[in-house]
Amino acid sequence: GGVGSVIGNPFDVLKTLAQANKGASVPLGTLISDMYSQQGIAGFYRGVEANILRACVLNATKMGCYDISKGMVADATGWGRKDTKTVFCSATMAGFFMTCTVSPFDRIRTNLMSQPTDKKIYDGLIDCARKTIQKEGVASLWRGFVPIWARFAPTATIQLLTIETLYASLGFSSI
C-alpha cells in the first residue's frame, strides 16, 4: 500500500486538482506544466505522507477488523468462518471501521493535494491537520463518511471474498 501510494501520488495530485478546480476545465498538460514550473517535482508529491499513512492504516484496519469480525459473526450466528455469509458480513464491518480510521487521512490528503499550484497553504501533514481542525472542527475530518463507506464496504467485500476463494482453491487456510 505504501509503495503504491508513492508511485501513484502524482496522479492522485493531478486528479484532485482537476476535481477541485472551480473555474473552466484545465487540460491535463496545463496542470502538469503549471505544477512543474511552480513547484518542481516536489509538487507532484504533496500529500504523499498522508497517502502513505492512509494506505498503511487502511490495510491494517481492513485485515485486523476482518479477522476479528469473522470470529464475532461466526460466534453470533453459528455460521462457519469460511461461510460466504460470514465473509460478506465481516468484510462489510471491516469497511465500516476502515472508514472510521481512514477518513481523517483522506481529508488531510485532499486538502494538501488541492492547494493551488502557485502557492502552499499548508506546510505538511501536521500543519494541514492543525489548520483544518482549527478552522472546521475535529468532526470535519470525517466529512463524507457515508460515501466513503459506500465505496469501502463493497470493495473490501469483493477483495476479501476473492482472497478467501483463492485461498480455498489453492488449499491454503482461510484468514
Side-chain angles (χ1 to χ4, degrees):
V3 173
S5 295
V6 172
I7 293 168
N9 206 80
F11 304 104
D12 215 359
V13 168
L14 293 169
K15 173 203 65 124
T16 303
L17 284 172
Q19 290 176 333
N21 182 27
K22 291 179 176 53
S25 181
V26 178
L28 180 61
T30 304
L31 281 174
I32 292 169
S33 64
D34 287 352
M35 176 68 78
Y36 187 74
S37 68
Q38 294 166 359
Q39 294 187 15
I41 198 75
F44 295 100
Y45 286 92
R46 59 167 125 173
V48 72
E49 308 93 345
N51 230 358
I52 292 168
L53 289 171
R54 175 194 181 277
C56 294
V57 167
L58 183 144
N59 288 314
T61 303
K62 176 172 48 180
M63 298 313 291
C65 290
Y66 174 66
D67 185 48
I68 292 167
S69 297
K70 274 182 73 174
M72 294 172 69
V73 168
D75 290 346
T77 63
W79 301 333
R81 284 182 65 90
K82 293 182 182 182
D83 190 308
T84 303
K85 295 178 290 209
T86 303
V87 173
F88 180 84
C89 291
S90 302
T92 301
M93 290 169 62
F96 174 81
F97 289 106
M98 287 163 55
T99 308
C100 292
T101 59
V102 170
S103 290
F105 293 100
D106 272 347
R107 181 67 198 283
I108 299 306
R109 176 185 73 161
T110 300
N111 287 356
L112 285 166
M113 290 180 177
S114 63
Q115 298 176 85
T117 59
D118 60 346
K119 64 180 176 180
K120 283 180 69 175
I121 299 169
Y122 308 107
D123 292 322
L125 176 79
I126 302 299
D127 183 56
C128 182
R130 185 179 51 76
K131 287 177 179 175
T132 301
I133 291 168
Q134 283 176 344
K135 183 178 178 185
E136 301 176 48
V138 173
S140 72
L141 296 176
W142 286 271
R143 184 177 297 153
F145 185 91
V146 172
I148 295 169
W149 185 28
R151 184 184 81 204
F152 280 163
T155 302
T157 301
I158 291 167
Q159 288 172 340
L160 294 165
L161 275 169
T162 302
I163 288 170
E164 293 285 11
T165 302
L166 288 172
Y167 276 16
S169 299
L170 297 172
F172 297 118
S173 59
S174 76
I175 297 173

